[in-house]
Amino acid sequence: MPQYRPLPRSFYRRPTLVVARDLLGCLLVRRIGRKCLVVRIVECEAYRQDDPASHAFRGKTPRNEVMFRDGGHLYVYFTYGMHFCSNVVTGREGRGEAVLIRAVEPVEGEELMRKNRPNPGVDMTNGPAKVCQALRLGRAENGTDLCGASIFISRGRRIPSSRVRRSTRIGISAGHEKRWRFTIHENPWLSR
DNA sequence: AGGGAGATTTTCT
DNA sequence: GAAAATCTCCCTA
């Protein structure tokens, strides 16, 4: 357990696009009781306040309130009547910005993840709602401080710029012109 | 292997 | 009342 250390608040308080890029290769650590689930982030998307695709675009509501907190919190939302998706809140308190975790690669605790989400192979974690199922992230985890001990992000492998790709975001109905989806090029665990 | 429809219910207009 | 930062299944090629 001491081998993984939470990133400082200052990591999250930077501009959202910068945080999104730097999250690639980082490790998301989720402690459930004595067990520890660890995954590497391979795909994410930035959502800014001035962005019509963002939940925060029309201001603060009960649902998106966590997005407006200080950087370094976990925003988990419910959608399509059955799915949860996880975001890392970025920027300063009052800003309303976050990065959606779209796909991850298992690093540790794969056995328990497979219990949470039995689909074999990459299908286990190659989508935002799949990640939440595998890691058991739901309503109860919304608002968790990532600078705490139960859920946090630890510095992982440094991904060189030559292996980072930017593309348009998936599943949105506005903001198609922005290339704010960040991926580790050709990683087998990417979504779709 | 890629595309389209249906599932299902919260959330905000 | 309509839309939703998705997933799965079933279809065609």
Side-chain angles (χ1 to χ4, degrees), chain A residues 3-142:
Chain A
Q3 55 179 323
Y4 302 116
R5 302 233 342 229
L7 288 166
R9 183 84 62 200
S10 54
F11 175 90
Y12 303 101
R13 280 179 171 156
R14 299 174 302 155
T16 303
L17 295 180
V18 175
V19 177
R21 185 255 175 267
D22 285 352
L23 279 174
L24 292 180
C26 283
L27 301 175
L28 174 59
V29 181
R30 159 78 158 133
R31 282 184 46 195
I32 301 179
R34 269 193 174 357
K35 309 253 183 168
C36 202
L37 301 182
V38 183
V39 296
R40 184 183 309 282
I41 298 170
V42 301
E43 172 179 347
C44 60
E45 288 177 353
Y47 287 88
R48 287 195 338 201
Q49 193 167 1
D50 59 354
D51 162 23
S54 172
H55 290 171
F57 184 61
R58 294 176 193 286
K60 195 193 278 192
T61 67
R63 179 208 208 187
N64 66 21
E65 168 267 319
V66 172
M67 282 186 84
F68 290 82
R69 294 191 195 175
D70 202 356
H73 286 82
L74 188 71
Y75 169 48
V76 183
Y77 68 86
F78 182 72
T79 190
Y80 289 106
M82 60 188 94
H83 296 301
F84 290 98
C85 297
S86 302
N87 302 253
V88 172
V89 174
T90 55
R92 303 255 168 183
E93 176 162 9
R95 275 301 287 156
E97 315 217 342
V99 176
L100 172 70
I101 308 295
R102 284 199 57 89
V104 301
E105 166 186 337
V107 171
E108 202 177 298
E110 191 168 346
E111 194 178 311
L112 177 53
M113 283 182 232
R114 210 161 285 288
K115 229 183 254 185
N116 298 333
R117 191 177 157 76
N119 302 46
V122 298
D123 228 39
M124 187 167 69
T125 54
N126 65 352
K130 299 178 185 179
V131 170
C132 283
Q133 263 182 53
L135 299 181
R136 265 197 244 163
L137 297 173
R139 249 180 249 294
E141 286 70 38
N142 186 34

